[in-house]
Amino acid sequence: MSTVLETQASAAEEPERKATPHTAVLDPERRKNTGLKSGLITEQDALYMAYYEGTVFHGQSWLSSLRLGNEVVFYEVALHGKVYRALARPVPGQNPRTATCDLKYGLARACSEGLQRDGWLLEPPRAIPNTPRALVRELQHVTGLTVDDIVDNAYSILNNRRHHGAQYPDTMEPEKYSFKELFLMSVDTDGTLKTLYETPSGVYPEQWTNFLRVLDREECEPLRQYAVSGMAVGEYGEAGATAIREALHLRDGGLRAVPPASYMPFMERFPLADHQKLERTVGGQRR
């Protein structure tokens, strides 16, 4: 099996369409800057307004900043006792009295041996991953590890922080944030990476985004009942129903013994709120 799915350079250099609402992105605020095929954000787009910290809402912890001081964090992954990060950070050597909005930023990679410990800089990236598949390619490039090793042992610390008021967990292996669980990832027998955040063959993208929306809301019990009912096959097809059951297994440990749901279409059982956009964001927007 190849240890590199695709070189970052070639993916970044190819002109491509941008991500759609049904592209699984890690950071929804950067969806429009994410390549549809590569899953990458160009250096120019990643650094745009890197100095901007956003509006501060005091007393609302779920709006806390994910920044590390004056650095923007694009990913934080714990793997084999180390934490790997991609950052936008002020370029060294600038006048300390330079206005924040005039600071020049550059991309950087860093590695440390703890969640909140200083580490060392690695080779800087030329683009930033914003999809699960692109993140695995990035980690392959940085660590030299195989796809199997990454999928089996990596944990997304930034997703955990995003869902817990920007606070760090007390472990480098937080429950529900392994790549297998969070990204619905697996590796086929031929070494091919698979993530069920990508639309299964034969399923409409809108349908699958709808399913992921409910899965990310942690409504696993009614989803199990739907998954073993005739409606799952009728609406999603055999392959789609199988993918639903596989996703539930990865996220919540399988179907267990549940009665099938009554005959009711998915959208009636799990209606979309009037104000809600139908967009595919990894892990949803849990807080």
Side-chain angles (χ1 to χ4, degrees):
M1 175 175 58
S2 172
T3 59
V4 179
L5 292 176
E6 180 180 347
T7 63
Q8 188 185 57
S10 62
E13 290 166 2
E14 292 177 4
E16 57 179 331
R17 293 188 296 127
K18 297 303 182 181
T20 74
H22 303 294
T23 303
V25 294
L26 305 176
D27 182 354
E29 298 298 322
R30 300 177 184 274
R31 183 187 301 275
K32 67 179 182 179
N33 296 323
T34 303
L36 179 61
K37 183 178 179 181
S38 69
L40 295 173
I41 303 169
T42 67
E43 181 175 16
Q44 179 180 359
D45 287 333
L47 294 177
Y48 178 67
M49 290 186 70
Y51 64 87
Y52 180 62
E53 297 187 19
T55 305
V56 177
F57 294 85
H58 295 288
Q60 300 185 47
S61 62
W62 62 274
L63 289 171
S64 300
S65 174
L66 293 168
R67 296 172 70 98
L68 297 179
N70 57 4
E71 298 178 341
V72 179
V73 185
F74 298 110
Y75 67 76
E76 287 180 285
V77 174
L79 178 60
H80 291 317
K82 293 184 174 64
V83 178
Y84 297 90
R85 295 181 173 92
L87 310 157
R89 62 198 303 262
V91 175
Q94 299 181 72
N95 189 320
R97 286 181 282 185
T98 300
T100 301
C101 61
D102 292 326
L103 287 174
K104 294 182 179 180
Y105 276 72
L107 294 183
R109 290 192 187 104
C111 180
S112 66
E113 294 184 338
L115 293 173
Q116 299 184 72
R117 295 177 58 182
D118 290 336
W120 56 93
L121 292 175
L122 306 174
E123 175 193 9
R126 286 185 280 173
I128 295 296
N130 197 34
T131 66
R133 186 175 295 274
L135 181 57
V136 172
R137 285 197 299 262
E138 165 81 358
L139 290 170
Q140 283 184 277
H141 176 78
V142 171
T143 68
L145 298 174
T146 64
V147 178
D148 302 72
D149 199 350
I150 293 168
V151 171
D152 285 343
N153 297 291
Y155 289 77
S156 180
I157 302 302
L158 189 62
N159 280 91
N160 181 278
R161 292 179 60 212
R162 185 172 282 123
H163 296 153
H164 295 87
Q167 298 300 308
Y168 277 97
D170 56 7
T171 173
M172 295 179 74
E173 299 182 354
E175 186 179 358
K176 297 186 178 181
Y177 289 90
S178 70
F179 277 27
K180 281 186 174 181
E181 294 172 278
L182 180 67
F183 299 150
L184 306 176
M185 273 186 178
S186 59
V187 180
D188 290 344
T189 54
D190 63 354
T192 301
L193 176 68
K194 178 180 179 182
T195 168
L196 290 172
Y197 268 100
E198 297 172 354
T199 307
S201 178
V203 179
Y204 291 112
E206 295 82 358
Q207 277 185 307
W208 197 245
T209 301
N210 250 324
F211 164 70
L212 292 169
R213 167 181 65 90
V214 180
L215 182 69
D216 287 338
R217 285 199 321 228
E218 300 183 339
E219 297 188 29
C220 292
E221 189 65 23
L223 277 176
R224 288 190 204 99
Q225 296 175 5
Y226 176 83
V228 297
S229 73
M231 285 301 295
V233 175
E235 293 188 294
Y236 283 82
E238 290 285 356
T242 298
I244 287 174
R245 294 192 290 271
E246 184 179 349
L248 283 164
H249 176 74
L250 288 168
R251 179 62 60 82
D252 200 54
L255 297 177
R256 299 192 280 277
V258 296
S262 58
Y263 190 84
M264 182 184 294
F266 189 93
M267 284 303 293
E268 289 185 25
R269 184 172 298 278
F270 307 104
L272 188 69
D274 291 339
H275 66 281
Q276 188 174 9
K277 289 183 179 180
L278 190 58
E279 294 184 335
R280 194 175 304 186
T281 300
V282 174
Q285 292 301 294
R286 292 170 292 156
R287 297 288 183 178

